[in-house]
Protein backbone atom coordinates (compact mmCIF):
# COMPACT_ATOMS: atom_id res chain seq x y z
CA UNK A 1 0.00 0.00 0.00
CA UNK A 2 2.85 2.38 0.81
CA UNK A 3 4.33 1.85 -2.65
CA UNK A 4 1.02 2.76 -4.28
CA UNK A 5 0.85 5.93 -2.19
CA UNK A 6 4.49 6.63 -3.11
CA UNK A 7 3.64 6.35 -6.81
CA UNK A 8 0.62 8.65 -6.55
CA UNK A 9 2.34 11.23 -4.36
CA UNK A 10 5.49 11.08 -6.49
CA UNK A 11 3.57 11.65 -9.72
CA UNK A 12 1.75 14.59 -8.15
CA UNK A 13 4.92 16.05 -6.68
CA UNK A 14 6.84 15.91 -9.95
CA UNK A 15 3.96 17.24 -12.04
CA UNK A 16 3.32 20.00 -9.51
CA UNK A 17 6.97 20.99 -9.45
CA UNK A 18 7.11 21.28 -13.23
CA UNK A 19 3.79 23.13 -13.41
CA UNK A 20 4.85 25.56 -10.69
CA UNK A 21 7.96 26.43 -12.70
CA UNK A 22 5.79 27.32 -15.68
CA UNK A 23 3.77 29.92 -13.74
CA UNK A 24 6.25 32.72 -14.41
CA UNK A 25 3.46 35.29 -14.58
CA UNK A 26 3.18 34.99 -10.80
CA UNK A 27 6.76 36.16 -10.36
CA UNK A 28 10.26 34.73 -10.29
CA UNK A 29 9.58 32.92 -7.03
CA UNK A 30 7.70 30.15 -8.86
CA UNK A 31 10.69 29.32 -11.06
CA UNK A 32 13.09 29.53 -8.12
CA UNK A 33 10.90 27.23 -6.02
CA UNK A 34 10.57 24.78 -8.91
CA UNK A 35 14.35 24.62 -9.36
CA UNK A 36 15.08 23.67 -5.75
CA UNK A 37 16.67 20.25 -5.31
CA UNK A 38 16.31 19.82 -1.55
CA UNK A 39 12.55 19.07 -1.65
CA UNK A 40 13.42 16.17 -3.96
CA UNK A 41 15.52 14.79 -1.09
CA UNK A 42 12.95 15.49 1.63
CA UNK A 43 10.33 13.51 -0.32
CA UNK A 44 12.08 10.09 -0.19
CA UNK A 45 13.26 10.85 3.36
CA UNK A 46 9.64 11.35 4.46
CA UNK A 47 8.58 8.10 2.80
CA UNK A 48 11.57 6.30 4.32
CA UNK A 49 10.35 7.40 7.74
CA UNK A 50 7.26 5.25 7.17
CA UNK A 51 9.30 2.04 6.98
CA UNK A 52 10.80 -0.14 9.71
CA UNK A 53 13.11 -2.14 7.43
CA UNK A 54 16.01 -0.44 5.67
CA UNK A 55 15.51 -2.34 2.40
CA UNK A 56 11.84 -1.35 2.19
CA UNK A 57 12.75 2.27 2.96
CA UNK A 58 15.32 2.33 0.15
CA UNK A 59 12.83 0.79 -2.29
CA UNK A 60 10.11 3.22 -1.23
CA UNK A 61 12.51 6.15 -1.62
CA UNK A 62 13.44 4.95 -5.11
CA UNK A 63 9.78 4.46 -6.12
CA UNK A 64 8.65 7.90 -4.93
CA UNK A 65 11.63 9.62 -6.59
CA UNK A 66 11.27 7.83 -9.92
CA UNK A 67 7.50 8.44 -9.85
CA UNK A 68 8.18 12.13 -9.24
CA UNK A 69 10.49 12.22 -12.25
CA UNK A 70 7.84 10.51 -14.38
CA UNK A 71 5.27 13.08 -13.23
CA UNK A 72 7.73 15.86 -14.04
CA UNK A 73 8.40 14.45 -17.53
CA UNK A 74 4.72 13.82 -18.25
CA UNK A 75 3.96 17.43 -17.39
CA UNK A 76 6.71 18.62 -19.76
CA UNK A 77 5.30 16.54 -22.60
CA UNK A 78 1.64 17.08 -21.76
CA UNK A 79 -0.79 19.70 -23.00
CA UNK A 80 -0.20 21.94 -19.96
CA UNK A 81 3.31 22.62 -21.26
CA UNK A 82 2.42 22.72 -24.96
CA UNK A 83 3.04 19.03 -25.63
CA UNK A 84 0.65 16.69 -27.37
CA UNK A 85 1.07 13.32 -25.57
CA UNK A 86 2.57 11.73 -28.67
CA UNK A 87 5.84 10.50 -27.25
CA UNK A 88 8.01 8.81 -29.82
CA UNK A 89 11.43 7.20 -29.53
CA UNK A 90 13.24 10.34 -30.70
CA UNK A 91 11.50 12.54 -28.09
CA UNK A 92 12.01 9.95 -25.34
CA UNK A 93 15.72 9.77 -26.15
CA UNK A 94 16.01 13.56 -26.10
CA UNK A 95 14.17 13.77 -22.79
CA UNK A 96 16.39 11.07 -21.29
CA UNK A 97 19.63 12.64 -22.54
CA UNK A 98 18.68 16.13 -21.39
CA UNK A 99 17.83 14.80 -17.92
CA UNK A 100 20.52 12.15 -17.45
CA UNK A 101 21.93 13.81 -14.33
CA UNK A 102 18.47 14.10 -12.78
CA UNK A 103 17.62 10.47 -13.53
CA UNK A 104 20.89 9.01 -12.29
CA UNK A 105 20.89 11.41 -9.35
CA UNK A 106 17.42 10.15 -8.42
CA UNK A 107 18.59 6.54 -8.71
CA UNK A 108 21.17 7.33 -6.02
CA UNK A 109 19.44 9.89 -3.80
CA UNK A 110 16.00 8.23 -3.77
CA UNK A 111 17.12 5.02 -2.06
CA UNK A 112 19.75 6.85 0.01
CA UNK A 113 17.33 9.38 1.47
CA UNK A 114 14.68 6.69 1.90
CA UNK A 115 17.23 4.74 3.94
CA UNK A 116 18.16 7.87 5.90
CA UNK A 117 14.49 8.42 6.72
CA UNK A 118 14.21 4.87 8.06
CA UNK A 119 17.35 5.35 10.15
CA UNK A 120 15.91 8.54 11.57
CA UNK A 121 12.56 6.93 12.35
CA UNK A 122 13.98 3.80 13.97
CA UNK A 123 17.20 5.06 15.58
CA UNK A 124 17.08 8.85 15.56
CA UNK A 125 20.35 8.78 13.62
CA UNK A 126 21.81 12.27 13.78
CA UNK A 127 23.56 11.87 10.41
CA UNK A 128 20.17 11.38 8.75
CA UNK A 129 18.82 14.51 10.38
CA UNK A 130 21.91 16.51 9.47
CA UNK A 131 21.85 15.45 5.82
CA UNK A 132 18.19 16.30 5.24
CA UNK A 133 18.17 19.57 7.22
CA UNK A 134 21.55 20.50 5.74
CA UNK A 135 20.21 20.01 2.21
CA UNK A 136 17.59 22.68 2.93
CA UNK A 137 19.87 25.04 4.82
CA UNK A 138 22.85 24.92 2.47
CA UNK A 139 21.32 24.58 -1.01
CA UNK A 140 21.23 28.36 -1.67
CA UNK A 141 24.87 28.69 -0.64
CA UNK A 142 25.90 25.67 -2.71
CA UNK A 143 24.13 27.06 -5.80
CA UNK A 144 25.84 30.41 -5.35
CA UNK A 145 29.30 28.88 -4.87
CA UNK A 146 28.80 26.56 -7.86
CA UNK A 147 27.80 29.52 -10.02
CA UNK A 148 24.32 28.12 -10.62
CA UNK A 149 22.45 31.05 -9.08
CA UNK A 150 20.76 32.98 -11.85
CA UNK A 151 19.89 36.69 -11.93
CA UNK A 152 16.27 37.32 -11.06
CA UNK A 153 15.96 34.32 -8.76
CA UNK A 154 13.80 34.97 -5.77
CA UNK A 155 15.87 35.30 -2.61
CA UNK A 156 12.67 35.09 -0.57
CA UNK A 157 12.34 31.44 -1.63
CA UNK A 158 15.90 30.77 -0.53
CA UNK A 159 15.21 32.53 2.78
CA UNK A 160 12.17 30.33 3.39
CA UNK A 161 14.16 27.25 2.42
CA UNK A 162 16.85 28.09 4.97
CA UNK A 163 14.20 28.81 7.63
CA UNK A 164 12.53 25.46 6.83
CA UNK A 165 15.91 23.74 7.20
CA UNK A 166 16.55 25.40 10.54
CA UNK A 167 13.04 24.50 11.72
CA UNK A 168 13.58 20.91 10.63
CA UNK A 169 16.94 20.81 12.42
CA UNK A 170 15.30 22.14 15.61
CA UNK A 171 12.60 19.47 15.38
CA UNK A 172 15.23 16.77 14.86
CA UNK A 173 17.19 18.01 17.88
CA UNK A 174 14.16 18.02 20.19
CA UNK A 175 12.96 14.63 18.92
CA UNK A 176 16.42 13.10 19.29
CA UNK A 177 16.79 14.38 22.86
CA UNK A 178 13.35 13.01 23.78
CA UNK A 179 14.22 9.67 22.14
CA UNK A 180 17.53 9.42 24.02
CA UNK A 181 15.84 10.24 27.34
CA UNK A 182 13.16 7.60 26.81
CA UNK A 183 15.75 5.07 25.72
CA UNK A 184 18.02 5.73 28.73
CA UNK A 185 15.13 5.55 31.18
CA UNK A 186 14.18 2.14 29.75
CA UNK A 187 17.76 0.89 30.14
CA UNK A 188 17.97 2.14 33.74
CA UNK A 189 14.68 0.39 34.67
CA UNK A 190 15.88 -2.95 33.32
Amino acid sequence: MVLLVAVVVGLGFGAGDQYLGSLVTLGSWTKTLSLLSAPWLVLPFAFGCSQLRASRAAITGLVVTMSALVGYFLMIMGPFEGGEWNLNLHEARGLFLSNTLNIFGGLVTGPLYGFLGQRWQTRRAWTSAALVAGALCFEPFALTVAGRAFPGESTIVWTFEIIAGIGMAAYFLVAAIAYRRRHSSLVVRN
Side-chain angles (χ1 to χ4, degrees):
M1 185 65 176
V2 171
L3 292 180
L4 178 61
V5 172
V7 168
V8 171
V9 170
L11 286 169
F13 178 86
D17 183 61
Q18 173 57 29
Y19 184 67
L20 181 65
S22 72
L23 298 176
V24 292
T25 57
L26 297 178
S28 65
W29 69 270
T30 60
K31 181 181 175 190
T32 303
L33 185 59
S34 177
L35 290 174
L36 294 178
S37 297
W40 287 77
L41 302 176
V42 174
L43 181 66
F45 180 87
F47 272 88
C49 285
S50 72
Q51 300 300 306
L52 295 177
R53 290 187 12 229
S55 60
R56 289 271 305 164
I59 291 167
T60 305
L62 177 64
V63 167
V64 75
T65 301
M66 291 298 112
S67 296
L69 283 171
V70 168
Y72 186 87
F73 297 150
L74 287 173
M75 187 60 81
I76 288 172
M77 298 178 303
F80 290 112
E81 298 288 325
E84 296 180 21
W85 296 112
N86 60 352
L87 181 65
N88 60 44
L89 191 57
H90 179 71
E91 288 177 9
R93 182 178 178 271
L95 187 62
F96 178 79
L97 291 176
S98 66
N99 288 284
T100 302
L101 288 176
N102 295 332
I103 294 166
F104 285 113
L107 288 170
V108 173
T109 60
L112 174 62
Y113 275 79
F115 170 76
L116 292 172
Q118 184 270 343
R119 288 296 184 220
W120 168 254
Q121 182 63 28
T122 59
R123 300 180 183 178
R124 295 298 190 247
W126 68 269
T127 52
S128 296
L131 287 171
V132 76
L136 289 164
C137 288
F138 296 114
E139 181 176 16
F141 302 112
L143 288 172
T144 302
V145 169
R148 292 189 51 208
F150 302 107
E153 286 193 320
S154 176
T155 55
I156 193 77
V157 170
W158 284 1
T159 303
F160 278 112
E161 183 182 27
I162 293 169
I163 291 169
I166 292 169
M168 192 174 277
Y171 162 75
F172 287 143
L173 179 64
V174 169
I177 290 170
Y179 176 82
R180 301 280 187 257
R181 284 184 180 160
R182 273 194 318 273
H183 185 67
S184 9
S185 70
L186 291 175
V187 171
V188 170
R189 289 181 190 165
N190 292 331

